[in-house]
Amino acid sequence: MEDSIPKMRVENLDVSYFDKQALFSINLDITKNNITALIGPSGCGKSTFLRCLNRMNDVIDGCVVKGKVELDGSTIYDQRIDPVTLRAKVGIVFQKPNPFPKSIYDNVAYGPRIHGLANTNSELDDIVEKSLIRAGLWDEVKDRISDSGTSLSGGQQQRLCIARAIAVNPQVLLMDEPCSALDPIATARIEELMDELRNRYTIVIVTHSMQQAARVAQYTAFFHMGYLVEKGATEKMFTTPDDKRTQDYITGRFG
Amino acid sequence: MSLEDNNQEHIVRSYSEELNLLTSTVVRMGGITESQLNLSIKAIENLDVSKADLAIKSDLELDNFEKEIEGLVTRLFVLRQPMAVDLRNVMAALKISSDLERIGDYAKNIAIRSKSITDDKVLPIMEGLVSMGTLASECLRNVLDGYQALDSEAALEAWRKDEEIDKLYTNVFVEVVNFMEKNSGSVNSGTHLAFIGKNIERIGDLTTNIAEEIYFMVRGERLTDDRPKADKTATITSNEVIND
Ligand SMILES: Nc1ncnc2c1ncn2[C@@H]1O[C@H](COP(=O)(O)OP(=O)(O)OP(=O)(O)O)[C@@H](O)[C@H]1O
Ligand SMILES: [Mg+2]
């Protein structure tokens, strides 16, 4: 991952839940305007790692994070950093679409409102429209913008959550298995969307689908039992991985 | 991560079985190609029409093998979406089978041409062609053994030997042209000889392709240094031949 500037840099990251260590001295650069896929068997620490990137672990009971996580060269684990502001810069989209039980409009407007990104109603309208366009959802919802977000299909809800995340102008977008509840068509639309979004954002995605990682990510990192075993260009990882554990996992040979 | 270190079975056992079937089918196709090539060489060595006919006939079998392998590969791609070593394995099978099929075409062409040579004045030149063919066949056998044994070194060795085939070809080519200059009544047979030489040279090239595919399949890295090229026939002029 040497060939472009790191947007985020993780050094010697250790994470524990109470006295159980979940991640062991992880080093990983997240390159700018690329998609980085995190893969590995269930429980290997992918979600834990992802949550370290925007301090979502702060609110988890017993979770202790040690080591360095930088965004554009400055640490994000600092007393002076406001986690809410950080999470606007480093947004997250979860596995299960989780729109608020509010209108489509309010779902997207929520972030810009609390961060004071719009001075007037028409500015807010603008942000909502632009975010929905970027999330590839505008054409489908522009005539029903006051309907409840929960009235949308699963795939549409997930794109709504993406619109909500990008409405606050993030720099990094974290996605934790964003397509696992979606059918192949909805999945393809999200993947297509991710590819467009990466011009503007840096994306980190956790996925259980090797094919998805291969399709969308420029870089892939393989986690196993709390260790980062191998990282590199996606094509290399999937054709000629260096480590036997990577190979066994991606070829379906894991016990 | 090389293929030699890969000893574990897939969690889905039928996947391993399908890969094994693919490999063994390629091995069988390789065996048939090898014996077809040997028949063609026998056919030119003794102008033996019955050997030639056998060589011509086995071409159909190779075509069928190629189709069968294509089917197995398609199925693996659709059902298993192979990755890493498995992907390299499947790709190698597909490419090797197509190279073998083309080797078969050249061997068949050699056999057909052997039947058109009626002029025994050419027999002394035939010796060079037979050595060339024997060497090509030996390379093919070594490469195919390397495929079965996942032995990238064996493949590499055969890959290097292609230079010798090219050298022999240059010599044979000069001999053939000399022969035609002196025996204007034997141009027809001489032309067949030149093409047979060219066919064997192509078989050597395809064999090196197979060696490269095996090397990548096993090691996960490409052979990069340029293969030595000793075929100079493209630049030989008539004067050089006469003065040789
Ligand atoms: N809130 C928590 N409290 C205690 N332990 C936790 C907590 N969250 C995760 N863990 C433990 O940390 C380890 C890593 O879990 P994590 O959720 O990061 O794995 P994952 O790779 O995302 O797995 P999956 O693919 O199943 O989502 C596991 O052993 C898990 O049990
Ligand atoms: Mg997870």
Side-chain angles (χ1 to χ4, degrees):
Chain A
M1 312 205 172
E2 299 77 16
D3 56 343
S4 76
I5 339 150
K7 179 72 186 171
M8 296 195 77
R9 162 164 281 177
V10 176
E11 268 175 44
N12 294 319
L13 182 79
D14 288 312
V15 180
S16 304
Y17 295 101
F18 300 100
D19 53 358
K20 187 175 168 287
Q21 194 161 347
L23 287 177
F24 299 85
S25 61
I26 308 294
N27 292 291
L28 183 65
D29 283 352
I30 308 291
T31 57
K32 201 171 170 174
N33 296 109
N34 275 312
I35 300 178
T36 301
L38 312 180
I39 60 168
S42 207
C44 67
K46 304 177 298 291
S47 298
T48 300
F49 179 82
L50 203 68
R51 287 195 296 264
C52 289
L53 299 179
N54 72 350
R55 291 183 55 177
M56 296 275 292
N57 286 326
D58 287 13
V59 293
I60 292 179
D61 235 22
C63 186
V64 179
V65 177
K66 287 192 197 124
K68 204 195 269 178
V69 180
E70 290 178 350
L71 175 66
D72 290 327
S74 343
T75 180
I76 63 168
Y77 283 87
D78 185 300
Q79 297 299 321
R80 284 162 297 182
I81 302 279
D82 167 26
V84 178
T85 313
L86 173 69
R87 284 174 211 140
K89 283 191 201 155
V90 184
I92 191 160
V93 175
F94 295 97
Q95 170 174 7
K96 260 187 67 196
N98 56 347
F100 306 134
K102 292 175 183 227
S103 70
I104 294 168
Y105 184 97
D106 285 339
N107 262 279
V108 183
Y110 177 83
R113 275 191 189 121
I114 60 166
H115 289 286
L117 298 184
N119 295 318
T120 62
N121 278 344
S122 85
E123 269 181 41
L124 190 60
D125 290 352
D126 250 20
I127 293 175
V128 170
E129 179 174 339
K130 230 183 241 147
S131 306
L132 285 166
I133 288 172
R134 278 186 200 152
L137 190 59
W138 177 248
D139 288 338
E140 287 158 68
V141 301
K142 60 174 188 275
D143 301 323
R144 48 189 286 205
I145 201 88
S146 345
D147 287 7
S148 168
T150 53
S151 71
L152 297 170
S153 76
Q156 289 171 329
Q157 287 187 19
Q158 196 59 305
R159 277 179 282 145
L160 178 63
C161 293
I162 292 173
R164 188 176 65 190
I166 61 186
V168 292
N169 245 332
Q171 298 165 18
V172 181
L173 211 50
L174 311 176
M175 304 176 121
D176 198 347
E177 301 183 50
C179 300
S180 63
L182 306 183
D183 74 18
I185 303 287
T187 299
R189 301 194 67 155
I190 303 271
E191 288 177 2
E192 170 66 19
L193 174 62
M194 287 172 67
D195 203 51
E196 274 165 38
L197 292 177
R198 98 178 157 92
N199 294 321
R200 213 175 273 272
Y201 314 102
T202 299
I203 298 176
V204 185
I205 176 178
V206 171
T207 175
H208 275 122
S209 157
M210 247 42 77
Q211 274 67 37
Q212 180 166 66
R215 284 191 301 264
V216 303
Q218 287 69 51
Y219 296 103
T220 297
F222 170 63
F223 286 75
H224 182 232
M225 292 169 68
Y227 290 90
L228 175 54
V229 170
E230 189 167 349
K231 58 190 171 187
T234 299
E235 197 179 316
K236 161 99 175 53
M237 292 277 283
F238 287 125
T239 50
T240 60
D242 290 325
D243 195 280
K244 178 155 169 46
R245 288 165 291 178
T246 317
Q247 167 123 303
D248 284 348
Y249 180 67
I250 64 177
T251 60
R253 285 180 169 84
F254 243 34
Chain B
M1 182 70 220
S2 87
L3 188 49
E4 290 125 318
D5 309 323
N6 187 70
N7 34 31
Q8 220 166 328
E9 291 281 307
H10 293 89
I11 297 165
V12 180
R13 209 183 50 224
S14 54
Y15 183 12
S16 295
E17 287 165 4
E18 283 166 28
L19 283 171
N20 292 340
L21 175 64
L22 179 64
T23 307
S24 64
T25 311
V26 173
V27 169
R28 281 195 297 144
M29 182 181 184
I32 307 253
T33 314
E34 209 186 304
S35 48
Q36 186 200 21
L37 177 56
N38 290 335
L39 285 169
S40 313
I41 297 162
K42 284 275 179 305
I44 56 168
E45 187 171 13
N46 312 312
L47 297 183
D48 181 337
V49 176
S50 69
K51 293 276 193 314
D53 285 337
L54 282 174
I56 293 165
K57 230 177 75 191
S58 66
D59 195 54
L60 183 66
E61 209 176 338
L62 289 183
D63 287 353
N64 289 335
F65 261 114
E66 195 195 13
K67 286 190 198 108
E68 184 182 339
I69 288 165
E70 222 177 270
L72 290 171
V73 167
T74 307
R75 193 184 146 81
L76 273 157
F77 273 125
V78 171
L79 297 185
R80 313 293 184 190
Q81 289 126 22
M83 291 280 190
V85 278
D86 300 334
L87 178 64
R88 276 154 33 210
N89 220 322
V90 173
M91 293 293 295
L94 186 64
K95 293 175 84 179
I96 290 172
S97 66
S98 117
D99 287 340
L100 288 173
E101 192 274 331
R102 287 171 64 203
I103 289 176
D105 284 345
Y106 286 117
K108 175 184 170 186
N109 188 266
I110 293 170
I112 292 172
R113 287 181 187 279
S114 79
K115 290 172 71 176
S116 312
I117 300 172
T118 43
D119 181 349
D120 50 19
K121 266 191 275 176
V122 302
L123 282 177
I125 302 175
M126 208 61 110
E127 260 174 56
L129 284 173
V130 171
S131 324
M132 239 184 113
T134 308
L135 185 58
S137 160
E138 192 187 316
C139 283
L140 180 62
R141 188 177 61 245
N142 291 342
V143 160
L144 292 171
D145 288 350
Y147 175 73
Q148 203 168 5
L150 303 178
D151 183 350
S152 56
E153 285 308 309
L156 190 59
E157 213 169 289
W159 185 75
R160 294 210 177 92
K161 269 226 182 98
D162 188 53
E163 194 181 6
E164 280 175 51
I165 297 178
D166 285 349
K167 275 188 192 144
L168 286 178
Y169 177 48
T170 306
N171 294 342
V172 166
F173 189 82
V174 170
E175 271 188 289
V176 170
V177 177
N178 264 331
F179 169 82
M180 289 197 285
E181 299 265 3
K182 288 184 195 121
N183 305 278
S184 53
S186 299
V187 169
N188 184 51
S189 295
T191 306
H192 283 305
L193 293 190
F195 274 107
I196 289 172
K198 182 71 198 164
N199 286 345
I200 300 174
E201 188 269 333
R202 292 296 301 139
I203 288 172
D205 286 349
L206 288 166
T207 304
T208 61
N209 282 358
I210 297 178
E212 286 167 15
E213 284 140 22
I214 294 168
Y215 193 89
F216 182 65
M217 172 184 84
V218 175
R219 310 265 299 239
E221 46 196 82
R222 303 249 174 232
L223 272 171
T224 43
D225 52 323
D226 279 330
R227 190 160 52 82
K229 277 273 169 212
D231 167 13
K232 305 235 159 43
T233 57
T235 54
I236 286 175
T237 64
S238 179
N239 285 342
E240 283 175 69
V241 174
I242 300 287
N243 300 338
D244 197 85

